[in-house]
Amino acid sequence: MKRIREIFSFKRFVVYAGAAVFMMLPVFVFSSSGKEVSGVAVWEKTTDIFAYDPVERVFIYREKASEMLAGKENKLRVPGGQKEKGGIKEYRLSGKEAALAAKALGRELDVPRHTKASASWKRVDDDTVRVELNDKEDGLWYRLRAKIPEGRNVSRVIRDDGLEIVNSTYIDRETGEVHGDLLWYMEGDTLYFYDDPVSGYSVVLSPPQPNFSILVGEAINGAGQLSLIAYPYNGEALIGGTTSIDHLGRTGDNNIGQNIDVNAGGKMALRFTSGANTYQYGNPGTSVTRDFTHVSSTDYKLHTTPEGQPQAVISTVFQTTATDGTEIPFLVNKKTIIRGNNKWFATIYYITNNHATRNAINVRFFEGVDWNFNGDFNGDNCSYDESNDTVFGYKPAGDPVSYGGFSGSLDSEAHHVGGFATLWSGITNANLNNADDFTGDASVGMEWNLGAIQAGGTGVMEIVWGYGNTLNAQAQVDMQNEIDAGKARLHDTGILSLSAPYDGEVFQQNGGDVVINAIAANFGLRDWYGLPVRINIQGPAGFAEVNDIIDTVDLTIPLAQTAETGYNFDVSSVPPGMYTAVVYTDLANDKGVNDTKTSNDSKTVLTLL
């Protein structure tokens, strides 16, 4: 069965409660002593309590909002800063304030017993965050927390004894009062939950869901032709459903979104000279020699980057097909990458010369797109922004006003703004019009010079697309900000972590090797092959500084963005003292490409010999 190639960006839904979230899940039921009872998972006493937050090192007094009358608040002498969620009020108190409030309520609060505790959290895999509480005291309440990775939702909070912390709020339809209890909730990217605790918890994450996200699709077997750019996408039906958020509207994609014709959407072309002949492959409407032949498409609809961002990728392969005379067989792998919940995405083309001896010179790459904003081909205009080398279209009377455009990592050789017919003929004839503005259609294109691609070599063309509208800011500025943000992520490698030794670890002299283990990572968008991972070691007087290559690694999007590597530091004959080891990557010197974010290039560890 044929399927459209589509990917979308993700954003976490903030879920505070709701029985529907849990009704399909097995639930353990327990009382305040942890004993299994019946009905719902609740504690007998979860309000009118003082809980200690070992991260902020403050106390939280929590009580039902309906019970917090002015007189009670005055008795508590709380300084303010209260929050209300799910019918529960929280008051943030210092240890001294909490002790005074407890005394006013006729309660005892042992502040030192609470404040011995400490807490930590870490992500153990794509679907689980681990929370641990140290030096806890039985019978005391704590408020714990964990950072939730971007794009992920909290599904369940499970104690190490197998019991689940479950929300149970509901609204009385007659009175409007909120009943039940809210034991966990989200604020921004942080989960908070209350427990009379065990020592550890597993926070189970559910897959991301689209929410004001961008959806990108390609035509079926279309050799990389863009058919769909939809925004804002919230998971609604786009087959026989919403069409007004599709800003391209090409046919040939199972009728997803708007369906205008085959001239809508994106097309590209590859032009090169071999021997005395010049050839041009492209999509229908931009080719001269022949059309590209579609080979395969693979969707990676949910993946996590080394930094924990959700990522979606379409990897499409197409090729040139003949080697008669001086013609060259090219294989093109186009990767369309959406990362995070942004309004930009990247299309990166890896163009490989598969001939054993023939070199391609004067290689030109063309990208074009016919925009049809808000699902409507009427009333679109387009322009070229020289200062940013960006071509873009826009619908000035749209609701909202929409802008969409793209820019390459290389300076363009030529550009085109005009109607779709002149765009596609301009690419076919390698004669873009270099106009600055056009009224009445929004079809734009660019040409880049890739130079020569040697036999067996690969050229790379990187393009970042952005969408903007007046819901976010001035629409053109919004669009360009998105494009700039994507460009800033193109080239970024470094070291994700050092797993050994730990910082400050002490070793014995003449003890053999100190093993330094590192994880190299591709934080950016472009693939890298044979990237050196380097190490620099400095030590006390008498030590000869070490500069070495640990390993060479391949870091590719999306399945091989990290690589484990290690170095054996021979300490059998070096002087005692403090040693500093820096593990790093160096794109500028090793690949001739500037790293767009140098702060994550290296990790440092100190050891004492």
Side-chain angles (χ1 to χ4, degrees):
M1 179 179 177
K2 293 181 178 179
R3 299 184 296 123
I4 181 178
R5 295 299 172 191
E6 58 177 20
I7 54 178
F8 58 84
S9 57
F10 302 93
K11 184 174 182 180
R12 175 175 55 256
F13 282 130
V14 179
V15 180
Y16 290 106
V21 176
F22 300 101
M23 67 182 181
M24 300 302 294
L25 301 174
V27 175
F28 292 96
V29 182
F30 51 91
S31 70
S32 59
S33 61
K35 181 180 178 181
E36 189 170 330
V37 291
S38 62
V40 294
V42 296
W43 294 92
E44 290 178 352
K45 185 66 172 175
T46 58
T47 56
D48 190 23
I49 61 168
F50 290 88
Y52 181 61
D53 185 324
V55 175
E56 288 190 42
R57 304 193 68 78
V58 297
F59 285 84
I60 306 296
Y61 177 74
R62 69 191 313 264
E63 176 61 298
K64 294 179 181 179
S66 59
E67 299 293 329
M68 288 306 299
L69 305 176
K72 190 170 186 179
E73 286 194 338
N74 292 335
K75 180 181 286 189
L76 286 172
R77 302 173 187 172
V78 292
Q82 70 266 24
K83 296 184 295 187
E84 182 175 345
K85 293 184 181 299
I88 304 295
K89 276 195 173 184
E90 295 179 345
Y91 298 83
R92 188 175 183 273
L93 307 167
S94 67
K96 182 178 180 180
E97 291 166 344
L100 291 173
K103 184 176 181 180
L105 292 173
R107 308 262 292 281
E108 292 186 3
L109 181 67
D110 192 334
V111 172
R113 281 186 68 207
H114 283 81
T115 55
K116 291 190 303 180
S118 63
S120 62
W121 68 85
K122 62 181 178 181
R123 188 172 185 178
V124 295
D125 56 41
D126 283 349
D127 300 320
T128 311
V129 173
R130 175 75 178 165
V131 180
E132 295 183 346
L133 179 66
N134 303 309
D135 296 323
K136 73 177 184 68
E137 291 279 348
D138 291 338
L140 303 183
W141 278 88
Y142 296 86
R143 185 178 77 166
L144 303 170
R145 69 178 66 190
K147 292 286 187 182
I148 303 304
E150 181 182 354
R152 305 306 296 267
N153 304 321
V154 175
S155 174
R156 308 171 70 185
V157 182
I158 303 175
R159 296 161 38 122
D160 279 357
D161 58 9
L163 303 178
E164 182 175 349
I165 299 174
V166 178
N167 289 327
S168 60
T169 56
Y170 64 95
I171 299 174
D172 187 317
R173 288 178 178 268
E174 293 184 1
T175 65
E177 292 183 354
V178 179
H179 298 280
D181 205 353
L182 184 72
L183 291 176
W184 66 263
Y185 59 87
M186 292 288 302
E187 278 192 356
D189 62 355
T190 302
L191 165 72
Y192 294 92
F193 64 94
Y194 287 88
D195 197 23
D196 176 0
V198 293
S199 295
Y201 304 81
S202 293
V203 179
V204 181
L205 306 178
S206 61
Q209 303 294 325
N211 180 17
F212 275 83
S213 303
I214 194 166
L215 175 71
V216 177
E218 291 183 354
I220 300 167
N221 296 325
Q225 295 178 78
L226 287 176
S227 66
L228 171 82
I229 298 176
Y231 183 88
Y233 178 59
N234 296 301
E236 60 266 51
L238 293 182
I239 299 179
T242 302
T243 60
S244 61
I245 64 172
D246 181 3
H247 306 295
L248 295 186
R250 189 194 190 279
T251 56
D253 58 7
N254 274 334
N255 288 348
I256 291 185
Q258 185 60 283
N259 297 280
I260 297 172
D261 58 31
V262 296
N263 287 309
K267 302 178 188 289
M268 74 285 300
L270 177 67
R271 186 179 182 91
F272 61 92
T273 298
S274 176
N277 299 310
T278 296
Y279 305 90
Q280 182 166 321
Y281 277 77
N283 302 119
T286 61
S287 62
V288 177
T289 307
R290 295 175 191 85
D291 292 343
F292 288 124
T293 297
H294 185 93
V295 176
S296 65
S297 288
T298 304
D299 300 342
Y300 302 92
K301 292 192 176 182
L302 176 60
H303 189 72
T304 302
T305 70
E307 295 174 301
Q309 284 190 311
Q311 176 177 265
V313 178
I314 304 172
S315 178
T316 299
V317 178
F318 47 94
Q319 63 186 4
T320 63
T321 54
T323 58
D324 298 335
T326 59
E327 197 167 341
I328 292 174
F330 276 98
L331 186 74
V332 182
N333 184 359
K334 174 192 177 187
K335 294 189 178 182
T336 301
I337 304 168
I338 289 177
R339 184 170 293 178
N341 201 58
N342 302 298
K343 302 194 302 299
W344 64 263
F345 66 94
T347 53
I348 301 183
Y349 298 85
Y350 301 92
I351 306 165
T352 300
N353 179 344
N354 274 334
H355 200 277
T357 59
R358 294 177 193 152
N359 301 325
I361 63 173
N362 195 26
V363 180
R364 304 294 175 119
F365 189 84
F366 297 82
E367 180 80 66
V369 64
D370 173 48
W371 295 98
N372 297 285
F373 293 103
N374 303 353
D376 180 10
F377 58 82
N378 294 303
D380 295 331
N381 303 329
C382 53
S383 297
Y384 171 65
D385 175 3
E386 183 179 6
S387 63
N388 291 296
D389 199 24
T390 297
V391 286
F392 62 92
Y394 60 99
K395 186 180 288 294
D399 184 18
V401 175
S402 293
Y403 275 63
F406 63 84
S407 182
S409 58
L410 303 174
D411 291 339
S412 65
E413 290 286 308
H415 65 270
H416 192 102
V417 297
F420 72 85
T422 65
L423 170 65
W424 302 138
S425 65
I427 292 177
T428 301
N429 298 315
N431 186 27
L432 303 188
N433 64 12
N434 286 324
D436 291 334
D437 299 287
F438 183 80
T439 300
D441 198 1
S443 298
V444 296
M446 277 187 163
E447 173 189 353
W448 297 272
N449 185 352
L450 303 186
I453 301 179
Q454 304 298 318
T458 299
V460 181
M461 185 63 228
E462 304 156 326
I463 301 170
V464 176
W465 303 67
Y467 172 83
N469 62 29
T470 48
L471 297 179
N472 301 284
Q474 198 278 336
Q476 184 179 348
V477 172
D478 186 33
M479 174 202 70
Q480 190 62 52
N481 287 342
E482 292 291 327
I483 293 173
D484 292 344
K487 282 188 169 184
R489 300 309 310 272
L490 281 171
H491 313 132
D492 184 13
T493 66
I495 305 302
L496 179 63
S497 64
L498 296 178
S499 58
Y502 64 80
D503 202 37
E505 189 168 356
V506 179
F507 295 89
Q508 295 298 315
Q509 191 180 17
N510 302 319
D513 291 346
V514 173
V515 179
I516 301 172
N517 291 328
I519 298 178
N522 186 352
F523 303 106
L525 301 168
R526 177 169 169 175
D527 294 348
W528 301 102
Y529 292 90
L531 177 68
V533 179
R534 297 180 174 274
I535 190 167
N536 172 266
I537 303 176
Q538 299 184 29
F543 173 72
E545 181 179 350
V546 172
N547 283 293
D548 205 353
I549 294 177
I550 295 177
D551 202 352
T552 56
V553 296
D554 298 337
L555 299 172
T556 60
I557 311 296
L559 298 181
Q561 290 182 242
T562 61
E564 295 183 3
T565 188
Y567 182 79
N568 293 331
F569 177 31
D570 184 358
V571 298
S572 60
S573 58
V574 300
M578 183 67 73
Y579 287 81
T580 302
V582 181
V583 183
Y584 64 100
T585 62
D586 188 349
L587 279 181
N589 286 314
D590 290 325
K591 295 296 182 180
V593 176
N594 289 330
D595 194 306
T596 52
K597 184 180 179 182
T598 58
S599 60
N600 56 15
D601 285 1
S602 65
K603 292 290 185 183
T604 301
V605 63
L606 302 179
T607 59
L608 181 63
L609 187 63

